[in-house]
Amino acid sequence: MVLFNDALRQHRELWDIYTRKEEYTPRRLDQYGCFPHAASTCQNISEPAVSKFLVDNGFESTYPADKEFAVCLTHDVDEIYPPFKHGLLSSLTCMKKRDYSGLKEQVFWKLYGKQKSPYRNFREIMDLEEHYGACSSFYFLATGSDITRFRYNIEDLEEDLGQISDRGWEVGLHGGYYAFNDPEEILGEKKRLEKVLGRKVSGNRNHYLRFQVPDSWEFLKKAGFRYDTTLGYNERVGFRNGMCHPFRPYNLNTDREIKILEIPLAIMDDTLFESTTSCEEAWQLSKKLIDTVAEYHGVICLNWHSESFHCPFKDQREILYKKILHYCSGKKAWMTSGEKICEWWEKQESVPE
Ligand SMILES: [Zn+2]
């Protein structure tokens, strides 16, 4: 990609979008300190303008088994124990549908112990993905500090992490709310997760997509992460820096590439459902983005929170996820985890031109 930086740099407008120059001195931030799409001078993010330029100028990406493009499947694990509001909404949904076994599960799980929480659904998610020949990444919180409430102790999930990792799925870090601009906190959370997992972790996505360009990339690199996948907007799906390919971020302050891979986030479930008015509209929008990424032989990264599965009041999200897996498997996509994409990308980079 270094070779392509020179060509891109000549195109001032695209270079600024690619490097996220406007985020170095943001005009405004939202309530969580995130740079909002509304504050960007680049409003059209449904087309990957930078990837298009690179492909038009000879940039090629290939995938294992001659797959045409890749889908990076990821799950932020925000909740393990349904908060009161979730339990209530799910119970009401079950009652409406006369789903009494579902209702029992929502109301009485606490009686049978924490293991029975309906959000401890990793095996079901992996089974679903396996059915489509896919695998994915689960990003876990490893901190006791959060803006809203206590979430969970990662130490209580040792068995779940072992099962995920043993099946070949990825366990990565969901960087805590206060970690994105605190290098020591990031390193501490990474080490805490690695201690429970018993192996190194490669990937990260920050909670609430909190991110400070370019410092967050530098801190993550310093903590030993090989890749990050935070760069997407909370309120819009699409391509935040015009890229639908993984890339090495460029630091305009040091005038150097940062040795970490960014796999930009294109579709997050919450964002998709909050910015559309029906499941059909959400599907059409997803399909359009998938088709676009396939056209440029890129990587489309999805974030479906683990609580979107096995959750009666969010059942449309699980239905749409299955539809996407079905569609992408029909288009012969490589559907895999962030870690596997990162490994592949690193291997391609080491091949002499
Ligand atoms: Zn989160």
Side-chain angles (χ1 to χ4, degrees):
M1 196 67 111
V2 176
L3 293 171
F4 289 94
N5 277 345
D6 295 335
L8 198 53
R9 208 190 267 265
Q10 307 304 317
H11 197 305
R12 183 49 64 186
E13 194 189 337
L14 289 180
W15 179 248
D16 290 350
I17 292 170
Y18 173 69
T19 56
R20 301 308 303 130
K21 188 181 175 195
E22 63 183 351
E23 295 190 38
Y24 281 64
T25 48
R27 288 187 291 166
R28 69 181 172 88
L29 298 173
D30 71 10
Q31 56 178 322
Y32 301 114
C34 299
F35 182 83
H37 172 253
S40 177
T41 53
C42 177
Q43 283 296 298
N44 181 9
I45 55 165
S46 57
E47 288 295 325
V50 179
S51 277
K52 180 181 186 308
F53 173 85
L54 294 175
V55 170
D56 288 349
N57 282 275
F59 174 73
E60 280 176 15
S61 45
T62 56
Y63 301 97
D66 286 333
K67 300 278 187 186
E68 293 279 310
F69 70 110
V71 184
C72 180
L73 299 172
T74 71
H75 310 285
D76 288 355
V77 184
D78 282 350
E79 313 281 1
I80 293 290
Y81 315 112
F84 176 74
K85 194 179 153 196
H86 287 209
L88 185 68
L89 290 170
S90 283
S91 299
L92 289 172
T93 309
C94 289
M95 273 157 42
K96 221 159 94 184
K97 290 184 179 167
R98 296 174 192 273
D99 173 8
Y100 298 112
S101 72
L103 181 64
K104 207 171 116 193
E105 213 176 51
Q106 295 299 324
V107 177
F108 295 116
W109 66 268
K110 277 185 190 156
L111 296 177
Y112 305 106
K114 285 180 171 176
Q115 288 288 349
K116 296 292 176 193
S117 166
Y119 287 175
R120 222 148 168 174
N121 51 13
F122 312 115
R123 203 184 64 209
E124 286 86 349
I125 297 173
M126 290 191 284
D127 288 348
L128 167 67
E129 289 166 350
E130 194 171 51
H131 175 76
Y132 289 98
C135 77
S136 67
S137 308
F138 291 91
Y139 301 118
F140 287 88
L141 291 163
T143 175
S145 318
D146 193 78
I147 186 181
T148 51
R149 63 182 169 275
F150 168 76
R151 305 281 178 150
Y152 53 87
N153 276 324
I154 190 66
E155 287 76 12
D156 296 338
L157 302 178
E158 190 178 342
E159 214 182 301
D160 304 74
L161 301 197
Q163 285 167 1
I164 291 169
S165 185
D166 288 350
R167 278 181 75 164
W169 268 245
E170 181 191 7
V171 171
L173 181 71
H174 194 27
Y177 189 83
Y178 301 103
F180 78 108
N181 60 354
D182 183 342
E184 278 179 30
E185 178 62 27
I186 293 169
L187 185 61
E189 291 180 12
K190 181 170 181 275
K191 283 188 171 164
R192 187 172 163 188
L193 178 61
E194 286 172 344
K195 198 171 167 209
V196 181
L197 180 64
R199 54 164 288 192
K200 291 264 176 218
V201 301
S202 313
N204 175 73
R205 174 178 300 115
N206 289 337
H207 197 30
Y208 286 76
L209 307 185
R210 300 224 310 158
F211 207 83
Q212 194 177 303
V213 173
D215 299 342
S216 296
W217 279 313
E218 295 284 3
F219 299 153
L220 288 165
K221 171 65 208 158
K222 215 168 147 217
F225 286 100
R226 285 162 67 196
Y227 82 90
D228 171 76
T229 174
T230 307
L231 201 75
Y233 284 117
N234 276 309
E235 83 275 39
R236 284 280 183 284
V237 297
F239 312 104
R240 178 160 164 175
N241 81 328
M243 287 293 285
C244 69
H245 293 87
F247 63 95
R248 303 275 173 197
Y250 199 86
N251 186 333
L252 294 170
N253 294 332
T254 60
D255 213 11
R256 291 235 284 265
E257 222 176 54
I258 307 167
K259 300 287 172 219
I260 191 167
L261 193 72
E262 178 66 30
I263 306 173
L265 172 64
I267 307 178
M268 178 155 77
D269 52 359
D270 291 343
T271 313
L272 179 67
F273 278 84
E274 279 158 24
S275 61
T276 51
T277 52
S278 67
C279 202
E280 179 57 25
E281 193 188 339
W283 161 240
Q284 290 302 333
L285 185 51
S286 308
K287 187 171 167 292
K288 189 169 171 270
L289 292 171
I290 293 164
D291 290 344
T292 300
V293 174
E295 187 188 332
Y296 293 111
H297 308 292
V299 176
I300 185 160
C301 183
L302 314 181
N303 176 20
W304 245 248
H305 288 79
S306 60
E307 77 208 48
S308 296
F309 298 85
H310 217 61
C311 177
F313 82 97
K314 290 186 181 177
D315 61 347
Q316 293 301 314
R317 297 179 184 209
E318 185 168 346
I319 292 169
L320 184 60
Y321 189 73
K322 284 179 189 162
K323 202 166 176 173
I324 289 174
L325 290 185
H326 182 76
Y327 183 69
C328 291
S329 101
K331 281 180 84 88
K332 310 246 180 304
W334 182 35
M335 299 189 284
T336 192
S337 66
E339 189 170 42
K340 293 219 165 88
I341 284 171
C342 181
E343 273 166 17
W344 176 258
W345 213 261
E346 285 171 356
K347 219 166 88 184
Q348 298 306 297
E349 282 175 333
S350 64
V351 175
E353 297 285 329

